[in-house]
Amino acid sequence: MKSVTILGATGSVGSSTLDLIERSPEQFEVVALTANRDVSKLAAAAIRVSAKVAVVADAACLDSLREALAGSDVEARAGEEAVCEAARMGADWTMAAIVGTAGLKPVMAALEAGGTVALANKEALVSAGDVMTAAAKAHATTLLPVDSEHNAVFQCLDRTAPRSVRKIILTASGGPFRQASLDQMRAITPAQAVAHPNWSMGAKISVDSATMMNKGLELIEAFHLFPVRADQLDVLVHAQSVVHSMVEYVDGSVLAQLGTPDMRTPIAYALAWPERMETPCEALDLARIGRLDFEAPDPVRFPALALARDALIAGGARPAILNAANEVAVAAFLAGRVGFLEIAAIVADTLARYEPAAPDSLDAVLAIDAEARAYAGERVKDCVL
Ligand code: NAD
Ligand code: MG
């Protein structure tokens, strides 16, 4: 029996994780489930899986959570600190599936508690990669990548010979506007941007996928997860999302992981690792798919990729600023306050205006994150839609 905690249990990744756990109730015991403020979804899930604790980050939701859990044995808790406490309750396996920098402290708490942390919350590695990987090492915590590309690379990596890796090639679907012109991209609405052709995901990552900032964040994520230099990381557009990423070796071999685009496959790999478990995912039918297409990403229509690569190469505070500015810009776009093409422009301007020293602790990362958000917020105000 494995004890599990899910941070961000009501989201897209959190729900897929619950789906797998509920299919094998004899294998898992649920310690804690957390959410931001979706009380009814959180309470229903916590009751279904007999969680010990259910936590809402928004303290104002405590009473309604208590009400929703009335008559069950699930304990209701609330507040940001309570989310971190849930991460410290000592589960064998913790899914980190909070979206954005809101996940930084809970991920750190989980890493410090030991056990295995399955990481979907890529922003934690982008903003605080050095601090997070150092904490994992110091506490002998196993960090397993859930992001489908990184999970694919993890599956293809020959851990006995890291020096024989020539390149890691992250595939990208190219998002819903892979073939759109810049003129068309100017007029994109939030509803169009969140409608991803292959994956069903939360709103923020769907917009990131449409700007390709998602792949930029994933370059930085890969740099922290795998023993490679920035110049060994490539991006390849692959519209079908069948090949989830590849590792090229010095002898010319290229290993890839393939599958239908369903997050339950990488989540299951992290959940059962080092073994494997059954999933209800549709089997891959290559004869029906017929062909697999690949193309280089277009740097002109997708400037976010170069912004992220530059931030990765420059290092220091740049990735945290990139991430914070992107979160502000995406939220403003989803709220209808800035246009689609402004997202990358806001990130570029924030990076140009703010140059703090490299952070050496989680608190320093959080301070940079807050300051970068203020700069980006000012820049958002300059945009008139
Ligand atoms: P989502 O928006 O569907 O869910 C986010 C979860 O985080 C929810 O449970 C929400 O309640 C919680 N949350 C939001 N704000 C919070 C806050 N301030 N404090 C505490 N909890 C908060 O997002 P998602 O699509 O499931 O993505 C989650 C993470 O996984 C993101 O970092 C994303 O980049 C990554 N990821 C997602 C997918 C996918 O297929 N959805 C794939 C790869 C990586
Ligand atoms: Mg991904």
Side-chain angles (χ1 to χ4, degrees), residues 288-315:
R288 187 175 54 78
I289 294 167
R291 55 183 268 185
L292 298 175
D293 299 298
F294 301 93
E295 67 200 50
D298 177 359
V300 176
R301 289 178 306 126
F302 298 101
L305 260 180
L307 288 173
R309 189 181 280 283
D310 290 349
L312 168 61
I313 293 166

Side-chain angles (χ1 to χ4, degrees), residues 62 113 149 186 260-261 269 283 332 348:
L62 181 58
E149 296 76 5
R186 229 176 294 281
T260 48
Y269 187 75

Side-chain angles (χ1 to χ4, degrees), residues 8-14 34-37 57 83 97-100 102 120-123 147-148 199-203 205 214 263:
T10 54
S12 165
V13 171
T34 83
N36 192 18
R37 52 172 76 101
V83 175
I98 293 174
V99 58
N121 182 198
K122 65 190 82 184
E123 295 90 347
D147 210 348
S148 57
W199 299 92
S200 148
M201 310 183 286
I205 184 176
N214 183 49
M263 281 305 291

Side-chain angles (χ1 to χ4, degrees), residues 44-61:
I47 292 170
R48 279 198 322 271
V49 299
S50 308
K52 288 195 177 72
V53 177
V55 188
V56 270
D58 183 348
C61 297

